[in-house]
Amino acid sequence: MYYTYFIGPAGSGKSTLTYAIADWLKVTSMESEISDTVSVACVNLDPGVRWTPYPPDVDVRDFIDYNEVMRTYQLGPNGALVAATDLIITYIDEIKEEIQDTGADYVFIDTPGQIELFSFRVAGPKICKELGGKKKVVCFLFEPGLVLDPSGFISTLLLSSAVEYRFFLPHLNLLSKSDILDEEEMERIIGWSENFSSLNTAIDMQVSGMEREKSLRMSKLFEDLGTISSLIPVSSKSSAGLDGLYAELQRIFAGGEDFESET
Ligand SMILES: Nc1nc2c(ncn2[C@@H]2O[C@H](COP(=O)(O)OP(=O)(O)OP(=O)(O)O)[C@@H](O)[C@H]2O)c(=O)[nH]1
Ligand SMILES: [Mg+2]
């Protein structure tokens, strides 16, 4: 079983992409005459979500009732979300069993809206480790509205690098909702992700003073770390780029490095 985790800022398109890639893969594999039909499963790990665009094959809400958590521990909405996400670990064996019972080849995992709940508390990496999976990938979503200017791009890259550092798994950076960008904007953002000198040129042109100095230093830091990789544009709305995303997943699952042991 190959596990793909979708992680990103609130509203960046995680849930919609979970549905879109699962549906695309189902349809593509059915239409393809050369490959065997692959089976897919969608997992919802967001205890606070009211509605998901996909029918979850495994749903954390079957184990954790967010409103009940709020009442029992007398918490506000945010505190209850923190507690509810931390509680996932209590049910990890049951959730893992349900995932394994699906027998799916590809498991797409939708994570909680607030990125810090899953990525920066103890629970997220622990959940990810305990759920196992033959191979795993983290897909980090860059929201177009946040990365149109160099400083927004660098801040999102910092967030993505922090997530990569937390999970230490193969990591893909996606440019979500690519349908809302025009061609020039898309080329510009992807250009920054592919070539630091174009990012530095944009910093030089658009930023001044201390902000410019810091931005250039951060850009150099990413270059030294080698963390940046070309952004993969995807649209859940038009399905553009889903084939490219699948190709990258396959590269990692079928041919890439074996980062995790079989579970
Ligand atoms: N135009 C466009 N809109 C999108 C796309 N993907 C998602 N959206 C919209 O973006 C909004 C947020 O999408 P979600 O999939 O709920 O995002 P999320 O990251 O799961 O959100 P939270 O779980 O609340 O953090 C919704 O209104 C979606 O319809 C896309 O590819 N194109
Ligand atoms: Mg969501």
Side-chain angles (χ1 to χ4, degrees):
M1 294 175 115
Y2 298 137
Y3 287 25
T4 302
Y5 288 83
F6 291 110
I7 296 179
S12 55
K14 301 176 290 291
S15 302
T16 316
L17 186 57
T18 302
Y19 167 73
I21 186 71
D23 189 58
W24 178 88
L25 189 49
K26 269 188 242 170
V27 172
T28 306
S29 109
M30 274 191 300
E31 284 172 353
S32 164
E33 286 169 12
I34 39 172
S35 66
D36 292 336
T37 302
V38 295
S39 55
V40 304
C42 294
V43 177
N44 171 42
L45 282 189
D46 186 350
V49 75
R50 292 258 168 90
W51 175 84
T52 56
Y54 51 89
D57 297 287
V58 180
D59 195 337
V60 76
R61 292 173 300 175
D62 293 341
F63 301 94
I64 296 157
D65 181 336
Y66 166 66
N67 290 314
E68 188 64 39
V69 169
M70 212 177 324
R71 273 193 299 274
T72 307
Y73 300 102
Q74 297 190 323
L75 294 166
N78 293 315
L81 262 183
V82 171
T85 307
D86 285 351
L87 271 174
I88 296 176
I89 206 73
T90 318
Y91 300 96
I92 204 71
D93 290 336
E94 291 91 331
I95 295 169
K96 181 177 177 177
E97 199 177 322
E98 283 202 4
I99 296 175
Q100 286 179 342
D101 285 349
T102 65
D105 303 309
Y106 292 88
V107 180
F108 296 107
I109 303 173
D110 184 17
T111 64
Q114 284 88 342
I115 193 167
E116 69 274 19
L117 293 184
F118 192 71
S119 298
F120 301 128
R121 291 182 63 82
V122 175
K126 208 167 168 189
I127 292 165
C128 192
K129 186 167 189 283
E130 297 291 326
L131 285 183
K134 188 175 176 194
K135 285 190 181 176
K136 308 170 208 181
V137 173
V138 166
C139 287
F140 184 91
L141 278 69
F142 281 53
E143 158 99 57
L146 302 179
V147 297
L148 279 166
D149 60 79
S151 54
F153 180 83
I154 288 174
S155 329
T156 309
L157 199 50
L158 270 174
L159 198 54
S160 169
S161 301
V163 168
E164 187 173 5
Y165 182 67
R166 284 288 287 161
F167 288 88
F168 264 109
L169 288 171
H171 186 96
L172 296 175
N173 284 324
L174 312 183
L175 179 59
S176 68
K177 310 184 192 180
S178 63
D179 57 281
I180 61 175
L181 292 167
D182 64 35
E183 210 171 310
E184 185 276 321
E185 290 169 329
M186 192 140 96
E187 271 175 22
R188 174 167 24 116
I189 297 166
I190 291 175
W192 291 342
S193 77
E194 287 175 340
N195 182 345
F196 281 101
S197 65
S198 74
L199 178 62
N200 294 343
T201 306
I203 293 169
D204 271 333
M205 282 165 61
Q206 294 178 39
V207 190
S208 59
M210 269 308 282
E211 192 184 344
R212 177 182 168 278
E213 289 306 310
K214 284 231 157 150
S215 302
L216 289 172
R217 273 198 235 164
M218 290 215 193
S219 168
K220 174 85 173 63
L221 174 72
F222 291 124
E223 193 173 2
D224 290 347
L225 286 173
T227 48
I228 195 167
S229 58
S230 182
L231 276 179
I232 304 164
V234 289
S235 166
S236 301
K237 201 173 177 186
S238 71
S239 297
L242 296 180
D243 52 349
L245 169 58
Y246 178 63
E248 282 299 314
L249 292 175
Q250 273 301 92
R251 187 182 58 78
I252 293 167
F253 291 144
E257 310 91 322
D258 199 356
F259 283 75
E260 290 286 322
S261 58
E262 174 116 27
T263 317

